[in-house]
Amino acid sequence: RHNFDWKLIIAQIYQESHFDPYAISTKGAQGLMQLTEAMATEMGVTDTFDPHQSIDAGVARLKNLYDFYDNATGWDRVYIALAAYNVGVGHMLDARNLARKMDLNPDRWTSMVKTLPLLSQYRYFRDTIYGYCDGKQPLKYVRRIRSCYDILNYHHPGP
């Protein structure tokens, strides 16, 4: 429905919850797609532990993020959307603004790999809108999804 490769979604679900529909994160996110209370409300989810609702809402949220970053292309766009799913649009805005200040292209994943980790350093996050961020976390998140996707793609090539 949202034109994502099913293997990418499976890889994301694995990273989010390890396929446990009753998973709860230390920050309170729930279900297969680790929906926050705010995201669940925004997406009309009544039961975050219902796999159908969780996946529908999580994939729709990823699609919204993918559409939002429409200046990025190809896998850069996918990775930026995934990172935003993990760390939030605000911290991605800060990382992208920092990329611009450093004369890096904010629509390239390689730029985000450089700027996101800087958001944990005071000299960088003090001038941001959204403040401190453990910028290494979304990098690990995307890397793990990519690894899982690569394994799935190896065993199930094609759509």
Side-chain angles (χ1 to χ4, degrees), residues 13-151:
I13 293 170
Y14 181 75
Q15 177 56 36
E16 287 289 345
S17 65
H18 292 277
F19 305 122
D20 178 1
Y22 301 105
I24 302 174
S25 78
T26 56
K27 295 185 179 182
Q30 300 178 339
L32 287 174
M33 294 295 280
Q34 290 295 279
L35 305 177
T36 63
E37 186 176 333
M39 188 190 316
T41 300
E42 177 185 332
M43 303 303 286
V45 173
T46 57
D47 180 2
T48 55
F49 298 117
D50 174 21
H52 295 288
Q53 289 188 55
S54 183
I55 293 169
D56 283 347
V59 175
R61 175 66 175 153
L62 181 62
K63 175 65 170 153
N64 291 343
L65 293 166
Y66 181 83
D67 290 346
F68 182 75
Y69 297 107
D70 61 347
N71 287 330
T73 59
W75 284 105
D76 288 322
R77 189 174 181 185
V78 173
Y79 300 151
I80 290 169
L82 285 167
Y85 188 101
N86 178 257
V87 78
V89 173
H91 291 303
M92 288 303 294
L93 174 69
D94 287 342
R96 290 164 57 80
N97 285 338
L98 184 56
R100 287 181 191 93
K101 289 179 186 175
M102 298 173 72
D103 290 323
L104 299 171
N105 184 341
D107 296 315
R108 298 298 307 263
W109 178 244
T110 53
S111 299
M112 296 302 94
V113 168
K114 292 174 184 169
T115 59
L116 276 164
L118 298 177
L119 296 178
S120 66
Q121 297 177 29
Y122 178 75
R123 70 182 195 154
Y124 292 102
F125 76 73
R126 72 176 177 209
D127 296 324
T128 63
I129 297 169
Y130 293 91
Y132 173 86
C133 166
D134 178 3
K136 291 181 182 177
Q137 177 54 39
L139 301 183
K140 290 178 192 174
Y141 177 80
V142 171
R143 186 174 59 245
R144 289 175 179 158
I145 291 172
R146 288 174 69 173
S147 294
C148 187
Y149 175 81
D150 288 345
I151 291 167

